[in-house]
């Protein structure tokens, strides 16, 4: 399979790929400075890691736009079996609301819709779930679900996966969802 990974910078995309594949990837490095996708060959699959998009401290607005355009074009041109969008489960709703208040379509929502339009059967990895207390998780995940235009509860849908690259919570579930539609 050819699996493409996208995500806003700093959501833990590198950490997720590392947890999944065991590849020796540096995490927490300064994000978004290169346009070059990283390709990881893993168990007969090809993992394509696209640059992080959106706001990055110290990166100009023009460069951010350039990265986004590159990602859109790359996704439109390439042939992929599946897309994985990694997000920060705790920050997603807060950031999305901020964009909506400004009258803009939140970038992560736009990206997810775009992946659906391209029929890439996107999964949304709600990463850093370890940072949310257990009794608050459903609420946060429902919020994400509804912001993406789906009805609560979140677990009715197969595309959203609470995950922690740090504790590897739900790693097996993630693998299952990637490989068994
Ligand atoms: P990327 O820019 O999206 O590739 O993000 P990285 O994988 O480099 O991670 C960004 C930061 O988030 C690093 O400091 C990671 O240690 C941290 N991080 C990544 N995944 C998790 C997670 O599941 N839980 C917590 N608590 N921190 C995480």
């Amino acid at each position: 399979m050819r699996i493409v990974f996208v995500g806003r910078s700093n959501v833990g995309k590198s950490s997720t790929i590392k947890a999944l594949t065991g590849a020796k990837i540096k995490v927490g490095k300064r994000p978004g400075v290169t346009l070059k996708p990283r390709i990881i060959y893993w168990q007969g699959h090809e993992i394509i890691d696209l640059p992080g998009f959106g706001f990055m401290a110290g990166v100009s607005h023009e460069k951010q736009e350039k990265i986004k355009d590159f990602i859109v074009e790359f996704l439109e041109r390439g042939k992929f079996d599946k897309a994985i969008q990694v997000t920060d489960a705790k920050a997603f709703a807060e950031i999305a609301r901020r964009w909506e208040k400004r009258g803009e379509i939140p970038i992560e929502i736009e990206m997810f819709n775009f992946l659906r339009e391209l029929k890439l059967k996107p999964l949304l990895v709600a990463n850093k779930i370890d940072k949310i207390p257990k009794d608050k998780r459903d609420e946060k995940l429902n919020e994400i679900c509804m912001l993406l235009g789906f009805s609560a509860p979140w677990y009715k849908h197969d595309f959203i996966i609470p995950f922690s690259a740090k504790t590897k919570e739900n790693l097996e579930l993630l693998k299952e969802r990637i490989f068994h539609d």
Side-chain angles (χ1 to χ4, degrees), residues 9-15 27-28 127-128 130-131 164-166:
S9 65
N10 219 35
V11 293
K13 180 163 58 64
S14 306
S15 303
V27 304
N127 190 37
K128 307 197 187 184
D130 57 282
K131 287 169 77 177
S164 169
K166 188 179 174 185

Side-chain angles (χ1 to χ4, degrees), residues 38-55:
R38 171 168 45 195
I39 301 181
I40 295 145
Y41 298 97
W42 173 67
Q43 297 190 347
H45 305 289
E46 206 176 312
I47 309 271
I48 300 109
D49 180 18
L50 296 186
F53 57 80
F55 174 79

Side-chain angles (χ1 to χ4, degrees), residues 94-107:
E94 197 186 306
I95 294 172
R97 295 246 151 74
R98 219 183 292 153
W99 281 60
E100 281 181 343
K101 255 191 201 154
R102 294 200 303 257
E104 293 177 70
I105 301 171
I107 193 164

Side-chain angles (χ1 to χ4, degrees), residues 9 29-35 51-53 56 59 63 67:
S9 65
K29 62 177 168 42
R30 187 160 172 265
V33 284
T34 170
L35 282 181
F53 57 80
M56 282 160 263
V59 178
K63 176 89 188 192
I67 292 169

Side-chain angles (χ1 to χ4, degrees), residues 89-90 92-93 97 129 132-147 152-155 160:
K90 202 172 169 188
F92 183 100
R97 295 246 151 74
I129 200 76
I132 306 174
K134 286 214 163 76
D135 62 335
K136 295 270 187 302
R137 291 183 185 178
D138 279 340
E139 192 186 320
K140 268 275 175 267
L141 294 162
N142 283 341
E143 228 180 327
I144 295 174
C145 197
M146 288 188 285
L147 279 161
W154 65 273
Y155 48 79
I160 179 162

